[in-house]
């Protein structure tokens, strides 16, 4: 290496390294974004579909009961179920998660929302997430209860739940 080429290598390296490193990082990021866009999910909002649900007939002297729905999201963004309303329910309908203790006991915990993943689903059940409500009038098996489910991004979706008696497939 000549004296002249050594003098050029230092300044040339000082200029190229700060330029090439960010350029390489941007190229990698652009490749990832191109792949994401190519799969069709870039900027795709949540697309929520709700299968008509079921609501358990209140048992014994109990007044509160639970409703269960299957919620699918075919969109590219996640959403959250934040609550529900019904003209057939008295008071507030609450969202709950059912849990178990190490001793085998079960308990209900109120939650503020439940995740509906992008491209996925949430199935409510007596062993997971449910809606807790109190009927305004006495229900019988087969009655239809109109409900509106509320989502953080997707807004309200009107649906219904069929009242099912004890021993029916409720979960």
């Amino acid at each position: 290496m000549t004296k002249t080429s050594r003098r050029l290598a230092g300044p040339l390296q000082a200029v190229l390294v700060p330029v090439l490193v960010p350029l390489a990082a941007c190229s990698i990021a652009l490749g990832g974004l191109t792949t994401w866009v190519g799969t069709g999910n870039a900027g795709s909002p949540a697309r929520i579909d709700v299968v008509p649900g079921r609501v358990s007939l209140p048992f014994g002297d109990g007044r509160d009961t639970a409703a269960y729905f299957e919620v699918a999201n075919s969109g590219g963004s996640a959403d959250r179920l934040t609550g529900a309303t019904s003209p057939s329910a008295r008071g507030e309908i609450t969202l709950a998660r059912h849990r178990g203790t190490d001793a085998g006991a079960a308990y209900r915990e109120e939650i503020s929302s439940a995740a509906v993943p992008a491209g996925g689903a949430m199935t409510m059940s007596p062993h997971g997430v449910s809606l807790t409500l109190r009927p305004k009038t006495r229900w019988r098996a087969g009655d239809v209860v109109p409900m509106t489910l509320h989502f953080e991004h997707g807004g309200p979706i009107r649906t219904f739940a069929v009242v099912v008696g004890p021993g029916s497939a409720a979960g």
Side-chain angles (χ1 to χ4, degrees), residues 49-55 68-70 144-145 158-162:
D49 293 304
V50 178
V51 174
R54 63 207 179 283
V55 61
Y68 310 99
F69 293 90
E70 290 183 33
V144 175
V145 178
R158 290 186 178 149
T159 188
F160 65 89
V162 176

Side-chain angles (χ1 to χ4, degrees), residues 3-171:
K3 212 177 210 185
T4 306
S5 63
R6 270 186 282 181
R7 276 187 272 157
L8 287 176
L12 188 60
Q13 185 178 8
V15 170
L16 286 180
V17 170
V19 170
L20 289 179
V21 170
L23 184 62
C26 288
S27 297
I28 292 169
L30 183 59
L33 287 171
T34 301
T35 302
W36 185 47
V37 169
T39 63
N41 289 329
S44 170
R47 284 190 294 274
I48 302 294
D49 293 304
V50 178
V51 174
R54 63 207 179 283
V55 61
S56 300
L57 190 64
F59 182 72
D61 293 333
R63 295 183 288 178
D64 289 343
T65 190
Y68 310 99
F69 293 90
E70 290 183 33
V71 181
N73 180 357
S74 59
S77 300
D79 206 342
R80 297 190 75 76
L81 174 65
T82 58
T85 54
S86 173
S88 300
R90 176 170 297 165
E92 182 182 9
I93 297 175
T94 58
L95 197 53
R97 181 176 314 279
H98 301 271
R99 303 233 185 223
T101 66
D102 291 337
Y107 66 96
R108 181 184 156 281
E109 168 184 60
E110 281 191 27
I111 57 176
S112 60
S113 65
V116 185
M122 174 190 59
T123 301
M124 296 181 178
S125 77
H127 310 289
V129 174
S130 69
L131 295 166
T132 303
L133 64 152
R134 181 172 289 180
K136 277 187 180 176
T137 61
R138 187 175 289 285
W139 289 339
R140 294 178 307 206
D143 286 350
V144 175
V145 178
M147 297 190 80
T148 302
L149 303 186
H150 300 274
F151 294 88
E152 184 175 61
H153 302 293
I157 295 181
R158 290 186 178 149
T159 188
F160 65 89
V162 176
V163 177
V164 295
S168 299

